[in-house]
Amino acid sequence: MLSRRSVLAGLLSTLPRVAQAQSVTDATGRVLAIPANVTRVFPAGPPAAIMLYTLAPDLLIGWPRANRLEEREYLLPDIGSRPEIGRITGRGNTANLEMLLALKPDLILDIGSTSRTYVTLAERVQEQTGIPYALLDGRFEATAASYRKLGELTRHEMQGKEFASYTTRTLDTIMQRIANVAPDKRPRVYFARGPRGLETGLGGSINVETIELLARNVAGERKGGLATVSIEQVLVWNPDVIITIDRDFASNVKGDPAWKGGTAVQEGRVHLAPKLPFGWIDFPPSVNRLIGLWWLAKILYPERFPEDIRAIARDFYARFYHVTPTDAQMDAVLEGRG
């Protein structure tokens, strides 16, 4: 529990910077007093950590979850190895507010839902700590706007605009190429999570945003977040394509009698999404999905996307992750290792 002494320490530690603050409005319309020189940012959850790393890696205090060795290969060495500091939002929130105060961030950043629940959380943490708490929209379609806003918050406006432009170009290019494919003619896709492949994203879930941009989510009729379904239900849906982020499921599904009746399994259309250093489709749902959109488009519409995914991915990694993978590293990524 947060003590009065620690709250007071947090408030006092922020006073000199607040005195030089500039006003910035976050995605919820809250006006924040941001220090003129932001040098330390606490990410409230994984999507915020990833987006901040891409834009201004030096500002990242630490990670909600420590990166594994195989993940660090695709990140700046001194940044990718920064410590685990827990999380304030999302499943398994672990951050302790006393720890947060001890880290002395200039800004707390959350990227995800902008619903009243998260606004209330942001206001409460800001009131308790005296540290400005910015909330940005984590929906995939809001990525460009969020990059511009993050640029304002961190005084990296030019980089924010550059990433926003890249995001817009990517979306425009991909969506224009499939614009004449009628919605009812697009592939029917099942998103399989977990070793049994029976956790999936319902309609409108942030976990299936890129799938629903390009295809029909077979679980989309029911709206919500993640849900567990039965194998019988999946067979009734009989998707054309299965996209999974679980390597065990991808390895075992072809030999599993329960799944052999499905068209996607019979025709070899079960695809394991890359996930180094972060998942291309989900887990976590952040800007890593930009390169995943290219990968997914090539799988669903190979004749419309003849480009070499390796070249596109290598360029993305250089721009956003600040590293250029070797051929061997790129092989590992595309094989879904990690």
Side-chain angles (χ1 to χ4, degrees):
M1 179 175 293
L2 197 63
S3 68
R4 292 180 61 187
R5 176 178 294 179
S6 60
V7 170
L8 180 60
L11 289 170
L12 292 175
S13 70
T14 62
L15 287 177
R17 290 174 176 139
V18 170
Q20 309 167 36
Q22 298 182 28
S23 296
V24 178
T25 304
D26 76 359
T28 70
R30 297 166 55 242
V31 179
L32 306 173
I34 305 298
N37 186 24
V38 175
T39 62
R40 296 173 62 78
V41 178
F42 184 98
I50 295 172
M51 190 173 221
L52 177 64
Y53 170 83
T54 62
L55 184 77
D58 290 345
L59 306 188
L60 186 66
I61 289 178
W63 298 87
R65 174 187 65 79
N67 293 302
R68 293 176 286 124
L69 285 175
E70 55 268 36
E71 294 166 337
R72 293 181 202 166
E73 288 185 31
Y74 302 90
L75 301 168
L76 291 168
D78 57 328
I79 311 295
S81 60
R82 287 192 176 174
E84 180 170 319
I85 57 175
R87 56 193 295 172
I88 296 176
T89 59
R91 288 182 176 181
N93 52 319
T94 55
N96 179 301
L97 290 186
E98 288 187 338
M99 176 199 297
L100 191 158
L101 286 168
L103 290 170
K104 298 184 183 301
D106 302 304
L107 173 69
I108 301 169
L109 174 69
D110 190 15
I111 300 176
S113 171
T114 56
S115 68
R116 187 62 210 168
T117 298
Y118 289 90
V119 172
T120 300
L121 173 64
E123 291 174 341
R124 185 172 70 243
V125 173
Q126 181 172 303
E127 183 180 352
Q128 289 178 315
T129 64
I131 302 167
Y133 188 128
L135 187 54
L136 301 186
D137 193 337
R139 292 174 302 145
F140 188 69
E141 66 180 12
T143 302
S146 291
Y147 262 128
R148 285 191 289 271
K149 185 61 70 178
L150 184 57
E152 290 182 48
L153 289 164
T154 59
R155 309 287 189 266
H156 287 67
E157 288 89 348
M158 288 187 63
Q159 188 66 52
K161 290 177 181 176
E162 181 179 328
F163 281 176
S165 295
Y166 178 100
T167 300
T168 301
R169 288 197 306 273
T170 297
L171 279 168
D172 288 350
T173 299
I174 292 175
M175 298 313 295
Q176 285 170 7
R177 289 195 199 176
I178 64 166
N180 65 349
V181 181
D184 63 347
K185 301 298 182 186
R186 295 185 180 186
R188 300 174 67 257
V189 176
Y190 174 70
F191 178 48
R193 288 175 51 123
R196 298 175 60 216
L198 295 176
E199 184 180 50
T200 194
L202 302 177
S205 166
I206 194 171
N207 308 91
V208 290
E209 282 187 299
T210 53
I211 290 174
E212 293 188 333
L213 268 177
L214 304 179
R216 289 178 286 168
N217 173 16
V218 295
E221 286 191 5
R222 181 179 157 199
K223 305 301 179 187
L226 293 172
T228 299
V229 297
S230 67
I231 179 63
E232 291 78 13
Q233 178 61 72
V234 178
L235 293 175
V236 168
W237 284 329
N238 196 23
D240 304 312
V241 178
I242 296 175
I243 302 294
T244 184
I245 59 174
D246 191 282
R247 188 166 53 182
D248 289 340
F249 173 74
S251 298
N252 299 330
V253 66
K254 293 178 183 175
D256 188 335
W259 287 83
K260 67 179 182 182
T263 299
V265 175
Q266 290 177 356
E267 297 182 355
R269 303 206 70 187
V270 179
H271 300 276
L272 176 62
K275 55 187 173 185
L276 286 174
F278 311 115
W280 283 20
I281 297 297
D282 183 21
F283 202 67
S286 189
V287 296
N288 34 304
R289 294 177 294 173
L290 278 171
I291 183 59
L293 193 67
W294 270 110
W295 175 82
L296 189 59
K298 285 181 65 66
I299 284 175
L300 298 176
Y301 307 96
E303 71 286 356
R304 294 172 185 250
F305 295 91
E307 293 91 342
D308 179 4
I309 190 64
R310 289 171 175 273
I312 298 172
R314 188 172 280 115
D315 176 68
F316 177 85
Y317 278 51
R319 290 173 186 263
F320 288 81
Y321 297 153
H322 317 290
V323 297
T324 302
T326 64
D327 288 343
Q329 287 176 316
M330 210 69 254
D331 287 343
V333 171
L334 294 172
E335 289 170 5
R337 295 182 190 171

